[in-house]
Each structure stands twice: as C-alpha cells, then as structure tokens.
Amino acid sequence: MASQPTVPSWDKPRPDDDRRLCLAADIEQYSSFDTPGQRTAQAQLARMLRAAAERSGLDHSTWSVQPQGDMEFAVLPVGTSEQAVLGEYVAHLAAELGGYNATRRSAGRMRLRLAIDTGVATTAALGFSGPAPIAVARYLNAPEVKRVLAAAGSASLVVVISDRLYQDVVRSRFDGHDPEEYRRIHVEQKGFAGYGWVRLPGVDPQEAEEPWPDVPEGGPRSPARAAEAERPSFVQQGVHGTAVQGVIHGSVIYGVVPGRAGR
C-alpha cells in the first residue's frame, strides 16, 4: 500500500525563519503626560508611523505590528528596502514629529527613540521571538541612546541602528546615506552586548550639546565581563597620615567604585 504524504497542519501558527527588518518606536518621558495627554500621544504616534511609511512608499498595513502603549514594535515584510527604511522613512517620521511639535506647547511635545535591526524574527504566543526583536528592544532602551536624546536640545528624534545595518547600508553610502551622521555606541543590556550606531536626524553630531557616548576602550565586552563590571568593589580612595610597620596612623577614606571588581 502506498504511503500517504504528510499534510502540514495549517491550523497551527508556524515560525517564520526569514530575515526581517524589525523596528520599534518609543515615546520618551511618556509617564510625564497626564491621562488625556497619554491618549493623545498614543494616537499621534500610531498616526505618524503610518504616515511616514505611506510617504516612503511602504505599505504599513502589511507590517506585523505589536502595540505596547507608548511603544510600537513592528516586523516588516520580506523584501522591504533597508535603504528606504533608514532613509526616507526616518526622514518622513522626523518631519511628521517636527510638524506635530510645532503646534504644541512645550509640555505637550513628543520625543521619540527609534531602533532598527534586521535578522530572524519568529512568531510566538505573546508576539515575536528571535535575535532581531531582542536586539531592537535592547537598543531602544539603552541608556546611551537616552543620553544622546537628552543632550540633543531641541531634537525630537534619535535613531539607533544595528552594526549590521550600518555596515551593509550606511557605510556603503547607498542612496545617499552619510556615515558621518552616525556615532558608534556599545550597548550592554540584559545579557545582550553589541555595537549600535546613533543618529539625530537634522542635527550635526559635532554640534551636540554634550559629547556623544562611544564604545569603551578595548571594544565590546562579553555579557559575563559586562556583569562583572557592574559589581561594585571597595578600593582605597585616599589615605591621610603615616604608615609605621604596616599600620596606618591617621584617617583612611574608602569609596565604592563600580566596574573595578577583580582589578
């Protein structure tokens, strides 16, 4: 008797192992808005993300979107142009944000952090899983990115992209991308460690109010080394008095210096 062909179970969700562009936009200082302000901010964020996509020739309705209140995470369809997302989409989002803020008082203005990476993103019970969604979340919430936006004065948007996108798209200067607009950072968050590249659309990096953060000396550290660096250790900060036969007479001042364990 001939064997029957195996029929896939299409009624169950299947993981999608294709490489996808993933991005997330988060409202800075969202908790500072009152309840009506939060409702307005959410509605405007959704509107601006859709408008920026449409003006860039991207079909936002085909994006797999996961709203999270003050943040929207999206997995874009296979074949979406990386050049268009890093270029036109970012430019139109900055314009939408600038136009909105121009009509608002200072307390009602919105500032955004936007993170973008490419890689495997699979469907999961509560959203998405895979290296790309994780990396986007870590880049988005990196203290280095928040510091860049805080120091940017009137800038309303900070963009952080993965090193992979920078090397493949920006550094190659596809579609007019300028590597000089980016500054390299090193992100260490919850076991994730990697390079990122930060850009302030419309702002010259040389004119930032404070120096942009950069990678630590010696390059990126492994998650284990990063965790070790976070543990404080006691080191002698100052000694006053004289030492006789190994006994210090006088006062000794101690302090806690993070990141000096084992040194």
Side-chain angles (χ1 to χ4, degrees):
M1 184 169 68
S3 60
Q4 296 296 320
T6 301
V7 178
S9 178
W10 297 106
D11 59 333
K12 296 181 180 180
R14 297 179 302 137
D16 183 354
D17 293 332
D18 289 323
R19 299 179 65 82
R20 302 289 190 94
L21 268 173
C22 300
L23 61 83
D26 195 3
I27 301 173
E28 184 78 358
Q29 299 294 327
Y30 174 78
S31 60
S32 65
F33 296 117
D34 56 22
T35 300
Q38 291 177 354
R39 186 181 304 112
T40 298
Q42 287 192 32
Q44 290 301 319
L45 174 62
R47 180 194 64 77
M48 287 187 287
L49 295 175
R50 288 194 304 269
E54 291 169 1
R55 292 187 176 185
S56 306
L58 305 172
D59 187 356
H60 189 272
S61 66
T62 64
W63 295 12
S64 298
V65 176
Q66 183 179 358
Q68 299 180 25
D70 60 335
M71 190 263 282
E72 180 175 293
F73 173 80
V75 178
L76 280 58
V78 174
T80 300
S81 170
E82 297 172 352
Q83 293 90 336
V85 172
L86 298 187
E88 295 176 55
Y89 176 76
V90 168
H92 286 303
L93 180 58
E96 289 287 337
L97 189 58
Y100 172 76
N101 286 337
T103 66
R104 312 291 294 182
R105 295 183 178 180
S106 178
R109 291 173 185 164
M110 191 187 308
R111 308 182 86 194
L112 297 180
R113 304 189 312 277
L114 177 69
I116 311 172
D117 193 11
T118 181
V120 174
T122 66
T123 56
L126 299 178
F128 300 94
S129 62
I134 290 175
V136 164
R138 302 300 178 255
Y139 285 129
L140 190 70
N141 294 305
E144 295 86 353
V145 177
K146 295 181 179 182
R147 285 198 297 268
V148 168
L149 185 58
S154 60
S156 299
L157 177 65
V158 61
V159 181
V160 54
I161 67 175
S162 66
D163 186 60
R164 175 171 32 236
L165 283 174
Y166 177 85
Q167 300 298 337
D168 291 350
V169 179
V170 177
R171 191 176 179 185
S172 300
R173 297 183 181 271
F174 284 141
D175 291 345
H177 291 288
D178 185 1
E180 296 301 320
E181 294 182 354
Y182 291 80
R183 288 294 179 269
R184 185 176 63 172
I185 61 173
H186 186 251
V187 176
E188 295 175 353
Q189 286 279 314
K190 298 181 179 179
F192 171 87
Y195 288 124
W197 293 83
V198 179
R199 176 190 172 204
L200 293 166
V203 177
D204 187 337
Q206 303 301 327
E207 298 177 359
E209 294 182 2
E210 297 181 11
W212 288 39
D214 206 343
V215 296
E217 293 184 5
R221 292 172 290 182
S222 66
R225 289 180 59 196
E228 178 185 358
E230 294 299 322
R231 293 198 297 267
S233 61
F234 283 95
V235 297
Q236 184 172 303
Q237 292 288 78
V239 178
H240 303 278
T242 59
V244 180
Q245 295 181 348
V247 179
I248 298 176
H249 299 272
S251 60
V252 180
I253 303 174
Y254 288 91
V256 177
V257 178
R260 302 302 291 266
R263 301 180 184 175

